Amino acid sequence: MADFNREDGVSTSVSETPPTHYTIKIQSLSLLKKNNIEKYTSPFFEAGGYKWKLVFHPNGNKNKNKAGKHVSVYLMMAEATSIAPAGWEVHAVFRLFLLDHNNDNYLVLQDTSTEKGRRFHATKVEWGFDRFMSQEAFNNPENGYVVDDTCVLGAEVYVCQEKFRGREDRFSMVKDPIAYKHTWKINKFSALTADCQDSKTFMAGEHNWKIQLYPKGKGSGTGSHLSLYLALAEPSSLSQSSQIYADFTLRILDQINAKHYIGKANYWFSGSQTFCGWPRYISIGFFSMPGAGFLVKDACVIEAEITVHGTTTN
C-alpha cells in the first residue's frame, strides 16, 4: 500500500465497494497547479439529512501543511449557516475514499480519534486530513491514484448526533410575592344584555388583567349558571414563550351576611392560554335568591385577588 497518512487516530483500509454517498472525478489535475488553484471544492451532496462538500488541496493545505509534501482532503458542511439556528451542532462519522485505478478498489481513511464523530458547528464546518497522502505517492502512476491526469475521490457520512440550542427561555420566581385585589361592582345587573361582561383592566404583578362574567353562563354552564373567569387583558403583548404562573381567587361578595362565594385556582397564563375560571361558578337560582346577599338592589360585587409567583420569558 502507498505511503498514506499514518497519524494516530486515523485508520486506513481498502474497500472494493464504492462510497455510499458520493464520488467525484477530478480531471486535468495538472492544470490546477498550473493555474495556481490551491483547492477544489466539489458540488454539494446529501447525507444524513444535511448537505456536504469535499474540499481537495492537490498541493496540500498551506495553512496546515506548510511543507506542501502532502495532499489534503476534507469534508465540509455546506450551507451551514442557513440550515440551523445559532447553537447547532452535528456530530458525524465520515470516511474519505481515493480510487486505485490499477486494482479497482478504494483507499479509505477514517478519523477514529473520537467515537462520537467529529463535531461540526458554526465556527467549525470542516474536518478531514491535512496529510491525506504524500505528494510522491499520490502522483506515482504505479500506485494508480492518478491515471490520465485524473483522480476519483469519494465520501461516506453518517450523522450520529444532533444538538440545537434553539430558543433560550428563563423562568424566575418572585421571592416575596404580593397579593393584589381588585373590586368590580356591577349595577343594573338585570339589564345586562351582552353574553360577556368585562371589568376594567387592572394591574397585578406587573401584568394587566380583567375579570370576565357571563351572566347567562358559558359552555356547560349556559342557561343554568353564572360563568366567571380571570383573563389576561393584553395577551398579544406577550412573546411566544412567555408564561405567568399565578394563584387567584374570584369572589362574589355576600353584601348582607359576608358569606362570600369563593373560587380558587392556580394557572399558567400565556399568549395561547389567556384565561382560567369556571363555566359553572354559581347557579343562577342561588345567585338570585333575595336572602343570599349576592344580588342586592340589582347590583353585585365581584372581587379578584391575584398573586403572581413566577414568569417565563425568552
Side-chain angles (χ1 to χ4, degrees):
M1 189 177 291
D3 179 20
F4 47 75
N5 192 321
R6 296 182 182 275
E7 294 180 358
D8 291 339
V10 178
S11 72
T12 58
S13 60
V14 174
S15 173
E16 296 182 354
T17 305
T20 301
H21 296 129
Y22 186 63
T23 56
I24 176 74
K25 179 185 287 187
I26 303 175
Q27 299 175 313
S28 303
L29 275 170
S30 60
L31 293 180
L32 293 177
K33 185 173 184 179
K34 181 179 179 180
N35 291 286
N36 296 317
I37 298 174
E38 295 183 356
K39 72 175 180 179
Y40 169 76
T41 302
S42 76
F44 75 81
F45 62 95
E46 295 189 13
Y50 296 92
K51 294 179 180 180
W52 309 87
K53 294 182 179 182
L54 284 180
V55 181
F56 172 57
H57 296 254
N59 301 310
N61 182 350
K62 292 183 178 180
N63 294 326
K64 302 289 183 67
N65 184 12
K66 294 182 179 180
K69 295 182 179 181
H70 291 78
V71 173
S72 303
V73 185
Y74 304 93
L75 175 71
M76 181 177 73
M77 177 172 274
E79 303 177 10
T81 57
S82 63
I83 61 171
W88 64 269
E89 292 182 7
V90 176
H91 293 248
V93 173
F94 61 91
R95 304 200 300 165
L96 300 185
F97 292 67
L98 176 63
L99 176 64
D100 178 348
H101 294 82
N102 294 343
N103 296 301
D104 192 28
N105 57 28
Y106 291 85
L107 172 68
V108 183
L109 267 68
Q110 180 175 342
D111 186 344
T112 57
S113 59
T114 173
E115 295 181 357
K116 295 181 179 179
R118 284 299 186 180
R119 183 169 66 101
F120 294 82
H121 53 91
T123 57
K124 182 64 175 177
V125 298
E126 186 177 285
W127 285 99
F129 307 99
D130 302 328
R131 296 190 295 166
F132 185 88
M133 177 181 290
S134 71
Q135 291 273 354
E136 182 180 356
F138 179 73
N139 291 300
N140 187 339
E142 294 183 1
N143 292 329
Y145 301 126
V146 178
V147 174
D148 296 330
D149 207 21
T150 298
C151 73
V152 177
L153 296 169
E156 291 181 349
V157 185
Y158 301 95
V159 173
C160 51
Q161 187 177 6
E162 300 167 285
K163 292 182 180 179
F164 299 97
R165 186 178 67 197
R167 189 184 69 228
E168 184 174 302
D169 296 330
R170 180 180 62 189
F171 174 64
S172 57
M173 294 292 293
V174 179
K175 184 177 180 180
D176 297 307
I178 298 173
Y180 297 85
K181 287 186 179 181
H182 177 74
T183 302
W184 177 29
K185 186 174 182 179
I186 305 172
N187 294 307
K188 298 181 181 179
F189 189 90
S190 61
L192 299 179
T193 57
D195 290 339
C196 179
Q197 301 290 325
D198 287 354
S199 72
K200 291 182 179 180
T201 298
F202 59 95
M203 181 170 284
E206 299 183 353
H207 299 279
N208 289 321
W209 307 86
K210 61 184 178 181
I211 304 168
Q212 291 185 322
L213 170 69
Y214 292 78
K216 297 179 181 179
K218 177 185 179 182
S220 63
T222 301
S224 61
H225 289 73
L226 272 69
S227 302
L228 193 60
Y229 299 90
L230 177 67
L232 288 169
E234 299 172 354
S236 61
S237 66
L238 298 177
S239 64
Q240 183 180 1
S241 63
S242 292
Q243 295 176 303
I244 305 162
Y245 180 69
D247 286 332
F248 67 93
T249 301
L250 295 182
R251 302 181 182 93
I252 296 182
L253 301 188
D254 178 350
Q255 302 172 60
I256 299 174
N257 309 299
K259 295 180 179 180
H260 311 310
Y261 202 87
I262 298 173
K264 293 184 178 182
N266 52 67
Y267 193 65
W268 284 97
F269 293 88
S270 66
S272 59
Q273 297 174 305
T274 62
F275 62 92
C276 180
W278 300 268
R280 299 166 64 90
Y281 182 80
I282 185 173
S283 69
I284 294 174
F286 183 38
F287 170 78
S288 303
M289 286 178 58
F294 304 124
L295 190 60
V296 176
K297 296 181 181 180
D298 205 23
C300 75
V301 181
I302 301 175
E303 184 179 80
E305 183 175 346
I306 306 171
T307 303
V308 173
H309 289 281
T311 59
T312 299
T313 57
N314 64 356

